Coordinates of all heavy atoms in Angstrom, one line a residue:
M1 N 10.7 -43.8 6.9 CA 10.8 -44.8 7.8 C 12.3 -45.4 7.6 O 12.7 -45.7 6.5 CB 9.8 -46.0 7.5 CG 9.8 -47.2 8.4 SD 8.6 -48.5 7.9 CE 7.2 -47.7 8.5
S2 N 12.9 -45.7 8.6 CA 14.3 -46.2 8.6 C 14.4 -47.7 8.2 O 13.4 -48.4 8.3 CB 14.9 -46.1 9.9 OG 14.5 -47.0 11.0
E3 N 15.4 -48.0 7.8 CA 15.7 -49.5 7.3 C 15.5 -50.4 8.4 O 15.0 -51.6 8.3 CB 17.2 -49.6 6.7 CG 17.4 -50.9 6.1 CD 16.6 -51.0 4.8 OE1 16.4 -50.1 4.1 OE2 16.3 -52.2 4.6
D4 N 15.9 -49.9 9.7 CA 15.7 -50.9 10.9 C 14.3 -51.1 11.1 O 13.8 -52.1 11.4 CB 16.3 -50.2 12.1 CG 17.9 -50.3 12.0 OD1 18.4 -51.2 11.3 OD2 18.5 -49.7 12.9
K5 N 13.5 -50.0 10.9 CA 12.0 -50.2 11.1 C 11.5 -51.1 10.2 O 10.5 -51.8 10.4 CB 11.3 -48.9 11.2 CG 11.6 -48.0 12.5 CD 10.9 -46.7 12.5 CE 11.2 -45.9 13.8 NZ 10.7 -44.7 13.8
I6 N 11.8 -50.9 8.9 CA 11.4 -51.8 7.8 C 11.7 -53.2 8.1 O 10.9 -54.1 7.9 CB 11.8 -51.3 6.4 CG1 11.2 -50.0 6.0 CG2 11.5 -52.3 5.5 CD1 11.8 -49.3 4.9
N7 N 12.9 -53.5 8.6 CA 13.3 -54.9 8.8 C 12.4 -55.4 9.9 O 12.0 -56.5 9.9 CB 14.8 -54.9 9.2 CG 15.7 -54.9 8.0 OD1 15.4 -55.3 7.0 ND2 16.9 -54.3 8.2
H8 N 12.3 -54.6 11.0 CA 11.5 -55.0 12.2 C 10.2 -55.4 11.8 O 9.6 -56.5 12.1 CB 11.6 -54.1 13.3 CG 10.8 -54.4 14.5 ND1 11.2 -55.5 15.3 CD2 9.6 -54.0 15.0 CE1 10.3 -55.6 16.2 NE2 9.3 -54.8 16.1
L9 N 9.5 -54.5 11.0 CA 8.1 -54.7 10.5 C 8.0 -55.9 9.7 O 7.0 -56.7 9.7 CB 7.6 -53.5 9.9 CG 6.1 -53.4 9.5 CD1 5.2 -53.7 10.7 CD2 5.8 -52.0 8.8
S10 N 9.0 -56.1 8.7 CA 9.0 -57.2 7.9 C 9.0 -58.5 8.6 O 8.3 -59.5 8.1 CB 10.2 -57.1 6.9 OG 10.1 -56.0 6.3
H11 N 9.9 -58.6 9.6 CA 10.0 -59.9 10.4 C 8.7 -60.1 11.2 O 8.2 -61.3 11.2 CB 11.1 -59.8 11.4 CG 12.4 -60.0 10.8 ND1 13.0 -61.3 10.4 CD2 13.4 -59.2 10.2 CE1 14.1 -61.1 9.8 NE2 14.4 -59.9 9.7
L12 N 8.0 -59.1 11.6 CA 6.7 -59.2 12.4 C 5.7 -59.8 11.3 O 4.8 -60.6 11.7 CB 6.3 -57.9 13.0 CG 7.0 -57.4 14.2 CD1 6.5 -56.0 14.6 CD2 7.0 -58.5 15.3
I13 N 5.6 -59.2 10.2 CA 4.7 -59.7 9.2 C 4.9 -61.1 8.8 O 4.1 -61.8 8.7 CB 4.7 -58.7 7.9 CG1 4.2 -57.4 8.4 CG2 4.0 -59.4 6.8 CD1 4.3 -56.4 7.3
L14 N 6.2 -61.5 8.5 CA 6.6 -62.9 8.2 C 6.1 -63.8 9.4 O 5.5 -64.8 9.1 CB 8.1 -63.0 7.9 CG 8.5 -64.3 7.6 CD1 7.9 -64.9 6.2 CD2 10.0 -64.4 7.5
K15 N 6.4 -63.4 10.6 CA 6.0 -64.2 11.8 C 4.4 -64.5 11.7 O 4.0 -65.5 11.9 CB 6.5 -63.6 13.1 CG 6.2 -64.5 14.1 CD 6.5 -63.9 15.5 CE 6.2 -64.6 16.7 NZ 5.0 -65.2 16.9
G16 N 3.7 -63.4 11.5 CA 2.3 -63.5 11.5 C 1.7 -64.3 10.3 O 0.8 -65.1 10.5
I17 N 2.4 -64.2 9.1 CA 2.0 -65.1 8.1 C 2.3 -66.5 8.3 O 1.5 -67.4 8.1 CB 2.8 -64.7 6.8 CG1 2.3 -63.3 6.2 CG2 2.7 -65.6 5.6 CD1 3.0 -62.7 5.1
K18 N 3.5 -66.8 8.9 CA 3.9 -68.1 9.3 C 3.0 -68.8 10.2 O 2.9 -70.1 10.4 CB 5.3 -68.3 9.7 CG 6.3 -67.9 8.6 CD 7.8 -67.9 8.9 CE 8.2 -69.3 9.4 NZ 9.7 -69.3 9.6
D19 N 2.3 -67.9 11.2 CA 1.5 -68.5 12.2 C 0.2 -69.0 11.6 O -0.6 -69.7 12.3 CB 1.3 -67.4 13.3 CG 2.6 -67.3 14.1 OD1 3.4 -68.2 14.2 OD2 2.6 -66.3 14.9
A20 N -0.2 -68.4 10.4 CA -1.4 -68.7 9.7 C -1.3 -70.0 9.1 O -0.2 -70.5 8.7 CB -1.8 -67.5 8.8
P21 N -2.4 -70.6 8.8 CA -2.4 -71.9 8.1 C -2.0 -71.9 6.6 O -3.0 -72.2 5.8 CB -3.7 -72.6 8.4 CG -4.6 -71.5 8.7 CD -3.7 -70.3 9.2
V22 N -0.9 -71.3 6.2 CA -0.7 -71.2 4.9 C 0.7 -71.9 4.6 O 1.6 -72.0 5.5 CB -0.6 -69.8 4.4 CG1 -1.8 -69.1 4.5 CG2 0.5 -68.9 5.2
T23 N 1.0 -72.2 3.4 CA 2.4 -72.7 2.9 C 2.9 -71.9 1.8 O 2.2 -71.3 1.0 CB 2.2 -74.2 2.4 OG1 1.3 -74.2 1.3 CG2 1.7 -75.2 3.4
F24 N 4.1 -71.8 1.9 CA 4.9 -70.9 0.9 C 5.6 -71.8 -0.1 O 6.0 -72.9 0.2 CB 6.0 -70.0 1.5 CG 5.5 -69.1 2.7 CD1 6.0 -69.3 3.9 CD2 4.8 -68.0 2.2 CE1 5.5 -68.3 4.9 CE2 4.3 -67.2 3.2 CZ 4.8 -67.2 4.5
K25 N 5.5 -71.3 -1.3 CA 6.2 -71.9 -2.4 C 7.7 -71.5 -2.4 O 8.5 -72.1 -3.1 CB 5.6 -71.6 -3.8 CG 4.3 -72.3 -3.9 CD 3.6 -72.1 -5.3 CE 2.3 -72.7 -5.4 NZ 1.7 -72.5 -6.8
A26 N 7.9 -70.4 -1.8 CA 9.3 -69.8 -1.7 C 9.8 -69.9 -0.3 O 9.1 -70.1 0.7 CB 9.3 -68.4 -2.1
D27 N 11.1 -69.8 -0.2 CA 11.7 -69.9 1.2 C 11.6 -68.7 1.9 O 11.1 -67.6 1.4 CB 13.2 -70.2 1.0 CG 13.9 -69.2 0.2 OD1 13.6 -69.1 -1.0 OD2 14.8 -68.4 0.8
D28 N 11.8 -68.7 3.2 CA 11.6 -67.6 4.1 C 12.3 -66.3 3.6 O 11.7 -65.1 3.8 CB 11.9 -67.9 5.6 CG 10.9 -68.7 6.3 OD1 9.9 -69.1 5.5 OD2 11.1 -69.2 7.3
V29 N 13.6 -66.5 3.2 CA 14.4 -65.3 2.9 C 13.7 -64.7 1.7 O 13.7 -63.4 1.7 CB 15.8 -65.8 2.5 CG1 16.6 -64.7 2.0 CG2 16.4 -66.4 3.7
S30 N 13.2 -65.3 0.7 CA 12.6 -64.7 -0.5 C 11.3 -64.0 0.0 O 11.0 -63.0 -0.5 CB 12.3 -65.7 -1.6 OG 13.4 -66.4 -2.0
V31 N 10.5 -64.6 0.8 CA 9.3 -64.0 1.2 C 9.6 -62.7 2.0 O 9.0 -61.7 1.8 CB 8.4 -65.0 2.1 CG1 7.2 -64.3 2.7 CG2 8.0 -66.1 1.3
L32 N 10.6 -62.8 3.0 CA 11.0 -61.6 3.7 C 11.5 -60.6 2.7 O 11.2 -59.3 2.9 CB 12.1 -62.0 4.8 CG 12.5 -61.0 5.8 CD1 11.4 -60.7 6.6 CD2 13.6 -61.5 6.6
R33 N 12.3 -60.8 1.8 CA 12.8 -59.9 0.9 C 11.6 -59.2 0.1 O 11.6 -57.9 0.0 CB 13.7 -60.5 -0.2 CG 14.5 -59.6 -1.0 CD 15.4 -60.3 -1.8 NE 16.4 -61.1 -1.1 CZ 16.8 -62.3 -1.5 NH1 16.3 -63.0 -2.6 NH2 17.6 -63.1 -0.8
E34 N 10.6 -59.9 -0.3 CA 9.3 -59.4 -1.0 C 8.6 -58.5 -0.1 O 8.2 -57.4 -0.5 CB 8.5 -60.5 -1.6 CG 7.4 -60.0 -2.3 CD 7.8 -59.4 -3.6 OE1 8.9 -59.3 -4.1 OE2 6.7 -58.6 -4.3
I35 N 8.5 -58.9 1.2 CA 7.8 -58.0 2.1 C 8.6 -56.6 2.3 O 7.9 -55.5 2.3 CB 7.6 -58.7 3.6 CG1 6.8 -59.9 3.4 CG2 7.2 -57.8 4.6 CD1 6.8 -60.9 4.7
K36 N 9.9 -56.7 2.4 CA 10.7 -55.5 2.6 C 10.3 -54.6 1.3 O 10.4 -53.4 1.4 CB 12.0 -55.9 2.8 CG 12.4 -56.4 4.1 CD 14.0 -56.7 4.3 CE 14.2 -57.4 5.6 NZ 15.6 -57.9 5.7
R37 N 10.5 -55.3 0.2 CA 10.3 -54.4 -1.1 C 9.0 -53.7 -1.2 O 8.9 -52.5 -1.5 CB 10.5 -55.4 -2.3 CG 10.6 -54.7 -3.6 CD 10.4 -55.5 -4.8 NE 9.1 -56.3 -4.8 CZ 8.0 -55.7 -5.3 NH1 8.0 -54.3 -5.6 NH2 6.9 -56.3 -5.4
L38 N 8.0 -54.4 -0.7 CA 6.6 -53.8 -0.7 C 6.5 -52.7 0.3 O 5.9 -51.5 0.0 CB 5.5 -54.8 -0.5 CG 5.3 -55.9 -1.6 CD1 4.4 -57.0 -1.1 CD2 4.8 -55.2 -2.8
I39 N 7.0 -52.8 1.5 CA 7.0 -51.8 2.5 C 7.8 -50.6 2.0 O 7.5 -49.4 2.0 CB 7.5 -52.3 3.8 CG1 6.6 -53.3 4.5 CG2 7.8 -51.1 4.7 CD1 7.2 -54.0 5.6
S40 N 9.1 -50.7 1.5 CA 9.8 -49.7 1.0 C 9.1 -48.9 -0.2 O 9.1 -47.7 -0.3 CB 11.2 -50.3 0.3 OG 11.9 -50.8 1.5
A41 N 8.4 -49.7 -1.1 CA 7.7 -49.0 -2.2 C 6.6 -48.2 -1.6 O 6.4 -47.1 -2.1 CB 7.1 -50.1 -3.1
E42 N 5.9 -48.7 -0.7 CA 4.8 -47.8 0.0 C 5.4 -46.6 0.8 O 4.8 -45.5 0.6 CB 4.0 -48.7 1.0 CG 3.1 -49.7 0.4 CD 1.9 -48.9 -0.4 OE1 1.4 -47.9 0.0 OE2 1.6 -49.4 -1.4
V43 N 6.5 -46.8 1.4 CA 7.0 -45.6 2.1 C 7.5 -44.5 1.0 O 7.3 -43.3 1.2 CB 8.3 -46.1 2.9 CG1 9.1 -44.9 3.4 CG2 7.8 -46.9 4.1
H44 N 8.1 -45.0 -0.1 CA 8.6 -44.1 -1.2 C 7.3 -43.3 -1.7 O 7.5 -42.1 -1.9 CB 9.2 -44.9 -2.2 CG 9.9 -44.1 -3.3 ND1 10.8 -43.2 -3.1 CD2 9.5 -43.9 -4.6 CE1 11.2 -42.6 -4.2 NE2 10.3 -43.0 -5.2
I45 N 6.3 -44.0 -1.9 CA 4.9 -43.3 -2.4 C 4.6 -42.3 -1.5 O 4.3 -41.2 -1.8 CB 4.0 -44.4 -2.8 CG1 4.2 -45.3 -3.9 CG2 2.5 -43.7 -2.9 CD1 3.3 -46.4 -4.1
D46 N 4.5 -42.5 -0.2 CA 4.1 -41.7 0.9 C 5.1 -40.4 0.8 O 4.6 -39.2 0.9 CB 4.2 -42.2 2.3 CG 2.9 -43.1 2.5 OD1 2.1 -43.3 1.7 OD2 3.0 -43.7 3.6
E47 N 6.4 -40.6 0.7 CA 7.3 -39.5 0.5 C 7.1 -38.6 -0.7 O 7.1 -37.3 -0.6 CB 8.7 -40.0 0.6 CG 9.1 -40.6 1.9 CD 10.5 -41.2 2.0 OE1 11.1 -41.5 0.9 OE2 10.9 -41.6 2.9
E48 N 6.8 -39.2 -1.8 CA 6.5 -38.5 -3.1 C 5.2 -37.8 -3.0 O 5.2 -36.5 -3.3 CB 6.4 -39.4 -4.3 CG 7.6 -40.0 -4.8 CD 7.3 -41.0 -5.9 OE1 6.1 -41.0 -6.5 OE2 8.2 -41.7 -6.3
V49 N 4.2 -38.2 -2.3 CA 2.9 -37.6 -2.2 C 3.2 -36.4 -1.2 O 2.5 -35.4 -1.5 CB 1.8 -38.6 -1.7 CG1 0.6 -37.8 -1.3 CG2 1.5 -39.5 -2.9
D50 N 3.8 -36.7 -0.1 CA 4.1 -35.7 0.9 C 4.8 -34.4 0.1 O 4.4 -33.2 0.3 CB 5.0 -36.1 1.9 CG 5.4 -35.0 2.9 OD1 4.4 -34.6 3.7 OD2 6.6 -34.7 2.9
A51 N 5.8 -34.7 -0.7 CA 6.4 -33.5 -1.4 C 5.4 -32.8 -2.3 O 5.4 -31.6 -2.4 CB 7.6 -34.1 -2.2
I52 N 4.6 -33.6 -3.1 CA 3.6 -33.0 -4.0 C 2.6 -32.1 -3.2 O 2.4 -30.9 -3.6 CB 2.8 -34.0 -4.7 CG1 3.7 -34.7 -5.7 CG2 1.6 -33.5 -5.4 CD1 3.1 -35.9 -6.3
V53 N 2.2 -32.6 -2.0 CA 1.1 -31.9 -1.2 C 1.8 -30.6 -0.6 O 1.2 -29.5 -0.7 CB 0.6 -32.7 0.0 CG1 -0.2 -31.9 0.9 CG2 -0.2 -33.8 -0.7
R54 N 3.1 -30.7 -0.1 CA 3.7 -29.5 0.3 C 3.9 -28.5 -0.7 O 3.8 -27.2 -0.5 CB 5.0 -30.0 1.2 CG 4.8 -30.7 2.3 CD 6.1 -31.1 2.9 NE 5.9 -31.9 4.1 CZ 5.5 -31.4 5.4 NH1 5.5 -30.0 5.5 NH2 5.3 -32.2 6.4
K55 N 4.2 -28.9 -2.0 CA 4.4 -28.0 -2.9 C 3.0 -27.2 -3.3 O 3.0 -26.0 -3.5 CB 4.9 -28.7 -4.2 CG 5.4 -27.8 -5.4 CD 5.9 -28.7 -6.5 CE 6.4 -27.8 -7.7 NZ 6.9 -28.7 -8.7
K56 N 2.0 -28.0 -3.3 CA 0.6 -27.4 -3.5 C 0.2 -26.4 -2.4 O -0.2 -25.2 -2.8 CB -0.5 -28.5 -3.5 CG -0.8 -29.2 -4.8 CD -1.9 -30.2 -4.6 CE -2.2 -30.9 -5.7 NZ -3.4 -31.8 -5.6
L57 N 0.6 -26.8 -1.2 CA 0.3 -25.8 -0.1 C 1.1 -24.6 -0.2 O 0.6 -23.5 0.1 CB 0.5 -26.4 1.2 CG -0.7 -27.5 1.6 CD1 -0.3 -28.3 2.8 CD2 -1.9 -26.9 1.7
A58 N 2.5 -24.6 -0.7 CA 3.3 -23.6 -0.7 C 2.8 -22.6 -1.8 O 3.0 -21.3 -1.8 CB 4.7 -24.1 -0.9
A59 N 2.2 -23.1 -2.9 CA 1.7 -22.3 -4.1 C 0.3 -21.5 -3.6 O 0.1 -20.6 -4.3 CB 1.4 -23.2 -5.2
Y60 N -0.4 -21.8 -2.5 CA -1.4 -21.1 -2.1 C -1.2 -19.5 -1.9 O -0.1 -19.3 -1.3 CB -2.1 -21.7 -0.9 CG -3.2 -22.7 -1.2 CD1 -3.3 -23.4 -2.3 CD2 -4.2 -22.8 -0.2 CE1 -4.2 -24.3 -2.5 CE2 -5.3 -23.7 -0.5 CZ -5.2 -24.5 -1.7 OH -6.2 -25.4 -1.9
T61 N -2.0 -18.7 -2.3 CA -1.7 -17.4 -2.0 C -1.9 -17.1 -0.5 O -1.3 -16.1 0.2 CB -2.6 -16.4 -2.8 OG1 -4.0 -16.8 -2.6 CG2 -2.3 -16.4 -4.3
K62 N -3.0 -17.7 0.1 CA -3.2 -17.5 1.5 C -2.3 -18.5 2.3 O -2.4 -19.7 2.2 CB -4.7 -17.8 1.9 CG -5.0 -17.7 3.4 CD -6.4 -18.2 3.6 CE -6.6 -18.2 5.1 NZ -7.7 -19.0 5.4
K63 N -1.3 -18.1 2.9 CA -0.3 -18.8 3.6 C -0.8 -19.1 5.0 O -1.3 -18.3 5.8 CB 1.0 -18.1 3.7 CG 1.7 -17.7 2.4 CD 2.1 -18.9 1.6 CE 2.7 -18.4 0.3 NZ 2.6 -19.5 -0.7
T64 N -0.7 -20.5 5.4 CA -1.0 -20.8 6.8 C 0.3 -21.4 7.2 O 1.0 -22.1 6.5 CB -2.2 -21.8 6.9 OG1 -1.9 -22.8 5.9 CG2 -3.4 -21.1 6.3
D65 N 0.4 -21.4 8.6 CA 1.6 -22.0 9.2 C 1.4 -23.6 9.3 O 0.4 -24.1 9.8 CB 1.8 -21.4 10.6 CG 2.2 -20.0 10.5 OD1 3.0 -19.6 9.6 OD2 1.9 -19.2 11.4
E66 N 2.5 -24.3 9.1 CA 2.4 -25.7 9.2 C 2.0 -26.1 10.6 O 2.6 -25.5 11.6 CB 3.7 -26.3 8.8 CG 3.8 -27.8 8.9 CD 5.1 -28.5 8.4 OE1 5.8 -27.8 7.6 OE2 5.3 -29.7 8.5
G67 N 1.2 -27.1 10.8 CA 0.9 -27.5 12.1 C -0.4 -26.9 12.5 O -1.0 -27.5 13.6
T68 N -0.9 -25.9 12.0 CA -2.2 -25.3 12.4 C -3.3 -26.1 12.0 O -3.2 -27.0 11.1 CB -2.3 -23.8 11.8 OG1 -2.4 -23.9 10.4 CG2 -1.2 -22.9 12.3
P69 N -4.4 -26.1 12.6 CA -5.6 -26.9 12.2 C -5.9 -26.7 10.7 O -6.3 -27.7 10.0 CB -6.7 -26.5 13.1 CG -6.1 -25.9 14.3 CD -4.7 -25.2 13.8
D70 N -5.9 -25.5 10.2 CA -6.2 -25.3 8.8 C -5.2 -25.9 7.9 O -5.6 -26.5 7.0 CB -6.4 -23.7 8.6 CG -6.8 -23.4 7.1 OD1 -7.7 -24.1 6.7 OD2 -6.3 -22.4 6.5
W71 N -3.9 -25.7 8.2 CA -2.9 -26.4 7.4 C -3.1 -27.9 7.4 O -3.0 -28.6 6.4 CB -1.5 -26.0 7.9 CG -0.4 -26.4 7.0 CD1 0.2 -25.6 6.1 CD2 0.4 -27.6 7.0 NE1 1.2 -26.5 5.5 CE2 1.3 -27.7 6.0 CE3 0.3 -28.8 7.9 CZ2 2.1 -28.8 5.7 CZ3 0.9 -29.8 7.6 CH2 2.0 -29.8 6.6
N72 N -3.2 -28.4 8.6 CA -3.5 -30.0 8.8 C -4.6 -30.4 8.0 O -4.6 -31.4 7.3 CB -3.6 -30.3 10.2 CG -2.4 -30.2 11.1 OD1 -1.2 -30.3 10.4 ND2 -2.4 -30.1 12.3
H73 N -5.7 -29.6 8.0 CA -6.9 -29.9 7.3 C -6.6 -30.1 5.7 O -6.9 -31.1 5.1 CB -8.0 -29.0 7.5 CG -9.3 -29.3 6.7 ND1 -10.1 -30.4 6.8 CD2 -9.7 -28.7 5.6 CE1 -11.1 -30.3 6.0 NE2 -10.9 -29.3 5.2
Q74 N -6.1 -29.0 5.3 CA -5.7 -28.9 3.8 C -4.7 -30.0 3.4 O -4.8 -30.7 2.4 CB -5.2 -27.5 3.5 CG -6.0 -26.4 3.6 CD -7.1 -26.4 2.4 OE1 -7.5 -27.4 2.0 NE2 -7.5 -25.4 2.0
Y75 N -3.7 -30.1 4.3 CA -2.6 -31.3 3.9 C -3.3 -32.6 3.9 O -3.2 -33.3 2.8 CB -1.6 -31.2 5.0 CG -0.6 -32.3 4.9 CD1 0.6 -32.0 4.1 CD2 -0.7 -33.6 5.5 CE1 1.6 -33.1 3.9 CE2 0.3 -34.6 5.3 CZ 1.4 -34.3 4.4 OH 2.4 -35.3 4.2
N76 N -4.1 -33.0 4.8 CA -4.8 -34.2 4.7 C -5.7 -34.4 3.6 O -5.8 -35.5 3.0 CB -5.6 -34.4 6.0 CG -4.8 -34.7 7.2 OD1 -3.6 -35.2 7.1 ND2 -5.1 -34.4 8.4
R77 N -6.5 -33.4 3.2 CA -7.3 -33.4 2.1 C -6.5 -33.6 0.8 O -6.9 -34.4 0.0 CB -8.2 -32.1 2.0 CG -9.2 -32.1 0.9 CD -10.0 -30.8 1.0 NE -9.4 -29.8 0.6 CZ -9.4 -29.1 -0.5 NH1 -10.0 -29.7 -1.5 NH2 -8.7 -27.9 -0.7
F78 N -5.5 -32.9 0.5 CA -4.6 -33.0 -0.7 C -3.9 -34.3 -0.6 O -3.9 -35.0 -1.7 CB -3.6 -31.9 -0.8 CG -4.2 -30.6 -1.1 CD1 -3.6 -29.4 -0.6 CD2 -5.3 -30.5 -1.9 CE1 -4.1 -28.1 -1.0 CE2 -5.8 -29.2 -2.3 CZ -5.2 -28.0 -1.7
F79 N -3.5 -34.8 0.6 CA -2.8 -36.1 0.6 C -3.7 -37.3 0.2 O -3.3 -38.0 -0.6 CB -2.2 -36.4 2.0 CG -1.4 -37.5 2.1 CD1 0.1 -37.3 2.1 CD2 -1.7 -38.8 2.5 CE1 0.9 -38.3 2.1 CE2 -0.9 -39.8 2.5 CZ 0.5 -39.6 2.3
E80 N -5.0 -37.1 0.7 CA -5.9 -38.2 0.3 C -6.3 -38.2 -1.2 O -6.4 -39.2 -1.8 CB -7.2 -38.1 1.1 CG -7.0 -38.4 2.6 CD -6.6 -39.8 2.8 OE1 -7.1 -40.8 2.1 OE2 -5.7 -40.1 3.6
E81 N -6.4 -37.0 -1.8 CA -6.6 -36.9 -3.1 C -5.5 -37.5 -3.9 O -5.8 -38.1 -4.9 CB -6.8 -35.4 -3.5 CG -8.1 -34.6 -3.2 CD -8.0 -33.1 -3.6 OE1 -7.2 -32.8 -4.4 OE2 -9.0 -32.4 -3.1
E82 N -4.3 -37.2 -3.7 CA -3.2 -37.6 -4.3 C -3.1 -39.2 -4.2 O -2.7 -39.9 -5.2 CB -1.8 -37.1 -3.9 CG -1.6 -35.6 -4.3 CD -1.6 -35.4 -5.8 OE1 -0.9 -36.3 -6.4 OE2 -2.1 -34.5 -6.3
M83 N -3.3 -39.7 -3.1 CA -3.3 -41.2 -2.9 C -4.4 -41.9 -3.7 O -4.2 -43.0 -4.2 CB -3.4 -41.5 -1.4 CG -2.2 -41.1 -0.7 SD -0.6 -41.9 -1.2 CE -0.7 -43.4 -0.5
R84 N -5.6 -41.2 -3.7 CA -6.7 -41.9 -4.6 C -6.3 -41.8 -6.1 O -6.5 -42.8 -6.8 CB -8.0 -40.9 -4.4 CG -8.8 -41.4 -3.3 CD -10.2 -40.9 -3.3 NE -10.3 -39.4 -3.3 CZ -10.2 -38.6 -2.3 NH1 -10.3 -39.2 -1.1 NH2 -10.3 -37.3 -2.4
K85 N -5.6 -40.7 -6.6 CA -5.1 -40.7 -7.9 C -4.2 -41.8 -8.2 O -4.1 -42.5 -9.3 CB -4.4 -39.4 -8.3 CG -5.3 -38.2 -8.4 CD -4.5 -36.9 -8.6 CE -5.3 -35.6 -8.5 NZ -4.3 -34.5 -8.6
R86 N -3.3 -42.1 -7.4 CA -2.3 -43.2 -7.5 C -3.0 -44.6 -7.4 O -2.3 -45.6 -7.9 CB -1.1 -43.1 -6.5 CG -0.4 -41.8 -6.8 CD 0.5 -41.5 -5.7 NE 1.3 -40.3 -6.0 CZ 2.6 -40.3 -6.5 NH1 3.1 -41.6 -6.9 NH2 3.2 -39.3 -6.8
R87 N -4.0 -44.8 -6.8 CA -4.5 -46.2 -6.6 C -5.6 -46.6 -7.6 O -6.2 -47.7 -7.6 CB -5.2 -46.3 -5.2 CG -4.1 -46.2 -4.1 CD -4.7 -46.6 -2.8 NE -3.4 -46.7 -1.9 CZ -3.3 -46.0 -0.7 NH1 -4.2 -45.2 -0.4 NH2 -2.2 -46.2 -0.1
R88 N -5.8 -45.7 -8.6 CA -6.7 -46.0 -9.7 C -6.2 -47.1 -10.4 O -5.1 -47.2 -10.8 CB -7.1 -44.8 -10.5 CG -7.9 -43.8 -9.7 CD -8.4 -42.6 -10.6 NE -9.0 -41.7 -9.8 CZ -9.1 -40.4 -10.0 NH1 -8.7 -39.9 -11.3 NH2 -9.7 -39.5 -9.3

């Protein structure tokens, strides 16, 4: 995800939070900075898991082409497994 998309999404989230009946102990800039940090961390985790899953799929003796239904099924299964491991 590009920096522009993270900025845009962060501003949308901040606007949504500000529309809710909540008060912040920090200023808007600090809250926005924290939202951006959290989004960036999540994007980084997704990229790491993607690399791990692709490495697993490449190690299979039975090769399947990327984008085929079988490859997509295996990719999604391994991706979910890796994400579950990280969320424990």
Side-chain angles (χ1 to χ4, degrees):
M1 182 180 290
S2 71
E3 191 67 33
D4 286 342
K5 287 181 181 177
I6 291 172
N7 277 334
H8 179 69
L9 187 56
S10 300
H11 283 279
L12 290 176
I13 292 170
L14 179 64
K15 183 182 179 312
I17 291 172
K18 288 176 75 174
D19 289 344
V22 296
T23 56
F24 296 119
K25 290 184 178 179
D27 59 295
D28 286 0
V29 173
S30 298
V31 173
L32 189 60
R33 191 175 302 133
E34 183 63 13
I35 293 168
K36 288 178 184 177
R37 187 190 66 75
L38 291 170
I39 292 171
S40 294
E42 283 296 319
V43 168
H44 184 68
I45 289 171
D46 283 356
E47 290 171 353
E48 282 180 15
V49 170
D50 177 70
I52 291 168
V53 169
R54 287 179 183 278
K55 191 174 177 180
K56 276 185 179 179
L57 288 171
Y60 264 32
T61 53
K62 180 186 172 196
K63 303 292 181 199
T64 55
D65 292 329
E66 184 174 341
T68 61
D70 189 36
W71 189 92
N72 287 336
H73 174 73
Q74 293 288 36
Y75 179 89
N76 290 332
R77 188 170 67 94
F78 288 146
F79 192 90
E80 289 301 319
E81 282 179 15
E82 287 297 323
M83 292 303 278
R84 273 195 301 272
K85 288 179 189 174
R86 292 171 179 261
R87 291 194 170 117
R88 288 184 188 164

